Amino acid sequence: MALNFSSVSSLISGGLGRVASLLVFCNLAFEAVAAPYQAPGTKRMAERLEKITAQSNPRNNLYMNRERADLFGKELKQLLATPDSPDKGAKVLDLDSKYATELLLAGKSWEAIQEFTLLDAFIRTSSVNFSTHTRSSLRHYMAIAYLRLGEQENCLTNHTIDSCLMPIRGSGIHKIQRGSRKAAEMLTEQLNEFPDDLKARWLLNLAYMTLGEYPDKVPPKWLIPAKVFESDYQIPRFYDVAGNLGLDLNSLSGGTIVEDFDGDGNLDIMISSLGVHDQLRYFHNNADGTFTDRTEEAGLSGENGGLNIMQTDYNNDGWPDVLVLRGAWFGIEGHYPLSLLRNNGNGTFDDVTEEAGLLRFHPTQAATWFD
């Protein structure tokens, strides 16, 4: 019997093709099944919030520091490319100061330090006679930027139960000390020139605390006595256990709800932040002293922002629902809608703002439920 290798090859390649197609189909089917839940109303709200943020003018929203820093950075680059003029130096100083400050407020401490350093060199070498206030203010911001760098490298990246709690001690003392060390140097320089600067004095003592050198190495004339930090009465200490429970978030002020959202007898947690890019977070109680972030599984992706959140069972189905309030403190850029999140009783939520007739585009901060 003759064996037709061409036919066999066709059969094999055809079979492999069908297997490959089947694998692709199964993979697509698996991906479709595994895709996180999100209700149509939630998807529309997420898109709506993203569009409003993209169209906002960062000059008018106090909390859009990242966008404002980008804006000032572009304007500074354009200004530096223009021909020299009698007032160019003052313009560069003003715009670069704004740029550096916004970098600092946006959490980009090292970039801010670099800009402040350039500004300092510019002031020291410029033929323009800058005021004492200008030099003092610049030094203050540089010191704060270094303190913030130390905070980010220690309190945030290497967080402990003692981090950022006054008076700073124990495991709250910084292991990476370059930020606080440089800040102490600059604050000492500031106080030598302006001995009545109480802000600099306070920050200097704080810097030495983070270095583990308070009070011994604080210059005596700038030392704030330890008794200032003593309590008028004794109360038990509260320990920061958020990190061990899976709850250590870094965001702006917002709202918190502690509620049994899924009816399993354990209190879950929902947390919001007013930041326009900050995701509403849902933490499920594992009943073992820990929590799991189930924001995506709950169908809440894209529900950003929220200065305040409140719970109630608005439709009397036995499940606590959530009202998210947005836009307050944003000034003329605060035209963000609130969200009504219906609890489906299975660990998921639907944004039903539109169907409930609550879709409005104006700032909200507080609300109450009553019959």
Side-chain angles (χ1 to χ4, degrees):
M1 177 179 175
L3 185 62
N4 188 326
F5 287 98
S6 176
S7 299
V8 172
S9 177
S10 298
L11 285 171
I12 292 174
S13 61
L16 289 176
R18 286 191 292 274
V19 171
S21 298
L22 179 61
L23 288 173
V24 170
F25 175 78
C26 291
N27 187 50
L28 290 173
F30 176 78
E31 288 181 357
V33 172
Y37 173 81
Q38 188 176 50
T42 307
K43 187 174 187 297
R44 288 195 299 273
M45 180 59 75
E47 293 170 348
R48 188 179 293 122
L49 294 173
E50 184 178 8
K51 182 178 180 180
I52 293 173
T53 297
Q55 294 177 344
S56 295
N57 184 347
R59 295 182 188 275
N60 300 326
N61 187 332
L62 179 64
Y63 298 95
M64 296 185 73
N65 305 105
R66 186 172 63 190
E67 291 82 357
R68 196 156 46 248
D70 291 341
L71 178 64
F72 288 152
K74 292 176 183 177
E75 292 180 354
L76 178 62
K77 187 176 181 179
Q78 294 171 354
L79 176 59
L80 291 172
T82 62
D84 289 341
S85 63
D87 62 345
K88 183 176 179 179
K91 289 182 178 179
V92 169
L93 176 65
D94 178 64
L95 188 53
D96 203 6
S97 297
K98 292 178 180 177
Y99 177 45
T101 301
E102 292 301 331
L103 285 172
L104 176 59
L105 294 173
K108 299 182 178 182
S109 302
W110 184 246
E111 291 91 332
I113 288 169
Q114 291 176 310
E115 285 302 317
F116 283 130
T117 302
L118 290 173
L119 274 170
D120 183 58
F122 175 73
I123 289 176
R124 292 177 186 273
T125 59
S126 175
S127 58
V128 179
N129 185 22
F130 293 102
S131 68
T132 300
H133 173 75
T134 298
R135 291 185 289 106
S136 173
S137 178
L138 174 60
R139 193 183 290 132
H140 253 296
Y141 275 107
M142 287 185 70
I144 291 173
Y146 274 109
L147 283 172
R148 179 59 176 158
L149 178 66
E151 184 180 37
Q152 289 172 317
E153 292 181 334
N154 294 275
C155 300
L156 299 183
T157 305
N158 299 295
H159 190 78
T160 73
I161 61 172
D162 294 318
S163 293
C164 295
L165 297 178
M166 293 288 289
I168 295 172
R169 57 194 171 186
S171 61
I173 295 173
H174 291 186
K175 291 181 171 61
I176 303 174
Q177 298 192 343
R178 62 171 182 165
S180 291
R181 189 69 65 187
K182 187 64 177 179
E185 176 187 320
M186 303 196 74
L187 291 165
T188 300
E189 181 182 340
Q190 175 75 1
L191 285 165
N192 285 332
E193 187 173 354
F194 305 100
D196 295 327
D197 189 336
L198 296 181
K199 289 189 294 185
R201 184 178 178 184
W202 169 262
L203 292 175
L204 179 66
N205 281 261
L206 175 63
Y208 274 106
M209 279 188 188
T210 65
L211 295 169
E213 298 175 355
Y214 173 90
D216 298 338
K217 293 190 178 181
V218 181
K221 58 183 176 180
W222 312 130
L223 177 65
I224 297 177
K227 64 180 181 181
V228 172
F229 303 102
E230 295 176 358
S231 176
D232 293 334
Y233 50 89
Q234 294 298 317
I235 58 174
R237 181 177 176 184
F238 290 83
Y239 290 91
D240 180 3
V241 297
N244 295 332
L245 302 186
L247 293 172
D248 48 342
L249 298 179
N250 299 315
S251 58
L252 300 177
S253 61
T256 301
I257 296 173
V258 180
E259 177 68 83
D260 181 9
F261 283 109
D262 54 6
D264 63 358
N266 300 302
L267 294 174
D268 311 299
I269 301 177
M270 190 173 289
I271 302 172
S272 70
S273 165
L274 68 83
V276 294
H277 301 291
D278 293 346
Q279 169 70 51
L280 181 75
R281 306 288 286 274
Y282 171 58
F283 292 91
H284 176 260
N285 190 327
N286 299 322
D288 61 0
T290 65
F291 293 80
T292 298
D293 188 341
R294 290 191 180 173
T295 303
E296 189 175 34
E297 294 88 338
L300 294 171
S301 295
E303 291 281 354
N304 293 347
L307 177 61
N308 196 5
I309 50 178
M310 303 180 66
Q311 81 271 36
T312 194
D313 180 10
Y314 84 96
N315 56 355
N316 296 318
D317 64 355
W319 300 102
D321 311 297
V322 177
L323 185 70
V324 183
L325 302 158
R326 302 186 180 94
W329 300 5
F330 288 174
I332 62 175
E333 297 294 340
H335 299 291
Y336 282 80
L338 56 75
S339 281
L340 178 61
L341 304 176
R342 184 185 64 210
N343 187 341
N344 297 320
N346 60 0
T348 66
F349 296 81
D350 290 1
D351 191 313
V352 294
T353 310
E354 289 180 78
E355 63 185 80
L358 293 175
L359 184 61
R360 302 288 189 277
F361 295 89
H362 55 75
T364 54
Q365 177 175 347
T368 187
W369 300 92
F370 69 94
D371 183 358

